[in-house]
């Protein structure tokens, strides 16, 4: 997961096309690895309570960072 996320975050943060290309190349391997041994259990993702909490957390973070954007 780290091998995929670090180039993606660097590519987005610094708008660097090379890191975005690297993360795009790594993505199929990341997807396959997560399909075989997921970090978050599929049963947990089917839980309505977990899904609602995740959505609420995303919206809270989105609103927080939207207010502090220059």
């Amino acid at each position: 997961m780290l091998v995929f996320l670090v180039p993606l975050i660097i590519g987005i943060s610094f708008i660097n096309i090379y890191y975005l290309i690297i993360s795009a190349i790594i993505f199929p391997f990341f997807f396959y690895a997560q399909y075989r041994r997921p970090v978050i259990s599929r049963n947990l993702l089917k839980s309505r309570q977990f899904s609602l909490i995740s959505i609420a957390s995303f919206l809270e973070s989105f609103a927080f960072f939207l207010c502090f954007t220059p």
Side-chain angles (χ1 to χ4, degrees), residues 26 32-33 35:
I26 295 172
Y32 178 71
Y35 180 75

Side-chain angles (χ1 to χ4, degrees), residues 16-67:
N16 190 329
I17 192 73
Y18 298 113
Y19 282 102
L20 292 174
I21 291 171
I22 291 170
S23 64
I25 292 169
I26 295 172
F27 179 73
F29 300 105
F30 170 73
F31 186 79
Y32 178 71
Q34 289 303 307
Y35 180 75
R36 291 196 53 176
R37 295 181 61 197
V39 174
I40 298 174
S41 172
R42 290 183 185 99
N43 293 332
L44 185 61
L45 294 175
K46 293 178 185 176
S47 167
R48 181 179 174 165
Q49 185 177 9
F50 179 78
S51 299
L52 292 175
I53 290 170
S54 297
I55 291 168
S57 177
F58 169 76
L59 292 175
E60 178 187 16
S61 300
F62 183 75
F64 178 77
F65 287 108
L66 187 66
C67 294

Side-chain angles (χ1 to χ4, degrees), residues 1 5 9 14 42:
M1 183 184 297
L5 288 177
I9 292 170
F14 298 117
R42 290 183 185 99

